[in-house]
Amino acid sequence: MKNNFAPILTYLSLFTAATLLLAGCATNPYAITNRSYKQQAKEYAKIIAQIPPVTLGETPTDKANWVGTTNFNLRKPNYVIIHHTAQNSTEQTLKTFTLPKSQVSAHYVIGKDGKVYHLLNDYLRAWQAGNAKWGGNTDINSNSIGIELDNNGFVPFPEAQINSLLALLATLKKTYNIPTANFIGHADIAPTRKNDPNKYFPWKTLADHGFGNWYDAKLDSVSTNFNTVQAMRLIGYDTRDSTAALVAFKRHFTPQDSTRLVTDSSRMILNNLVKKF
C-alpha cells in the first residue's frame, strides 16, 4: 500500500528541525557566531599541532630533522588597551564585533551596567589596536588585550562599569604579570587617529589601584627649555606628530586642559612621569 503520509511526515520533520534551530538562535542570538569561533579555533589548533610545523609558503620538512623541545608555553599578553566603543549600546557593539565585514574585535566588552562579555581567548590576537605604536612596539595587537567600554565617547563612565573594569584588570594583571605602566588607552597608542577612552575616563582611579602610572601630587619645577617631545617619546608616545601626541598625553593626564599648548604643568608632569617610566 502506498504511504501517502510520507511527504507530510518529511515536511513535519523539516519543520520541526527548523523550528528547533530558530528556537536555539532565539535563545542565544550569537549561536551562529559562537560556532564560527569554535571552528576557527579548531583550524588554528591544527596548525599548532603540526609536527614538524609548516609555515606559510614552505614545503613540509623531513620529519627526521624534527626535534621537539620540551621547553615552551603559550605567548602571553603584556599590555592592556582600553577603549570606548563610540556606539550607542552594548548590543550594537557586540553585533559589530560578530560581523566579519567589520574587521574589528576586542577581548572584552563591558556594559554600562557592569556586565562583562568575554569575546576572545586572552591568548588569541584581537583586531583592536589597529595602526598603532607604543615605544618600539608597532604590532600591539600581537601582545595586548583589548577592553571596550560601552560609551559613545561624550559621557562619563558609570560606577558599575568602572568597578567591573577594575576587577577584570586585577585578574589580568595577576594572571599575566602585566607591568603597571602597560595599562594604556587607545588614544595613547594611536594619537593621530583615536581619542578613546574619552576625557571623562578616570585614569587616576585606575592608577590608584595599580593600573597605569600617574604623577605625584608634589611636582618639581623644570626649566622652560625642558624637551617635552623627548619626554613623551621616553614614556612611549609616538611623537612623529608631536601635537597629536601632546593632545593624547593631556587627555590622559590633564583632561581639564584642552589646549594644544605646552604648559608649565605639562612639563612638570612629564618630568615626573619620565622618572617613573
Side-chain angles (χ1 to χ4, degrees), residues 15-213:
F15 178 79
T16 301
T19 301
L20 290 173
L21 178 61
L22 289 172
C25 291
T27 303
N28 182 0
Y30 301 105
I32 295 176
T33 58
N34 286 350
R35 286 198 296 272
S36 175
Y37 177 103
K38 291 178 182 178
Q39 183 58 43
Q40 290 185 68
K42 287 180 181 178
E43 293 302 319
Y44 285 123
K46 290 178 183 178
I47 294 173
I48 295 172
Q50 287 178 1
I51 301 175
V54 179
T55 56
L56 188 64
E58 291 185 348
T59 56
T61 55
D62 187 350
K63 288 188 177 182
N65 296 330
W66 166 254
V67 180
T69 181
T70 58
N71 309 311
F72 67 97
N73 55 15
L74 293 172
R75 295 180 185 269
K76 73 177 184 68
N78 196 44
Y79 290 86
V80 171
I81 311 301
I82 300 173
H83 310 245
H84 67 231
T85 60
Q87 296 191 308
N88 296 319
S89 68
T90 301
E91 291 72 23
Q92 185 181 4
T93 298
L94 294 177
K95 182 177 180 180
T96 298
F97 287 170
T98 52
L99 291 174
K101 67 179 181 180
S102 73
Q103 296 288 287
V104 64
S105 59
H107 293 87
Y108 297 89
V109 172
I110 304 180
K112 294 184 181 69
D113 60 357
K115 186 173 182 179
V116 179
Y117 299 84
H118 196 174
L119 280 69
L120 183 67
N121 187 292
D122 294 345
Y123 288 100
L124 297 179
R125 186 178 185 272
W127 301 345
Q128 45 99 13
N131 183 15
K133 184 175 184 291
W134 188 252
N137 186 355
T138 57
D139 184 12
I140 296 177
N141 278 338
S142 292
N143 62 359
S144 68
I145 287 177
I147 302 175
E148 291 271 2
L149 303 177
D150 178 23
N151 185 295
N152 64 13
F154 303 100
V155 296
F157 297 81
E159 183 178 1
Q161 190 176 47
I162 296 302
N163 287 341
S164 291
L165 173 63
L166 291 172
L168 175 58
L169 295 182
T171 298
L172 296 176
K173 184 176 185 179
K174 180 179 180 180
T175 302
Y176 304 114
N177 195 29
I178 298 175
T180 295
N182 289 4
F183 295 82
I184 48 183
H186 198 189
D188 295 318
I189 62 173
T192 61
R193 299 186 305 110
K194 297 296 181 179
N195 63 357
D196 57 310
N198 67 49
K199 65 179 182 179
Y200 296 107
F201 187 74
W203 282 112
K204 186 179 185 305
T205 298
L206 264 68
D208 289 342
H209 286 78
F211 313 119
N213 280 345

Side-chain angles (χ1 to χ4, degrees), residues 217-233:
K218 185 177 181 180
L219 299 171
D220 298 328
S221 60
V222 295
S223 64
T224 55
N225 62 356
F226 177 81
N227 193 326
T228 57
V229 175
Q230 182 184 49
M232 288 188 294
R233 187 184 304 119

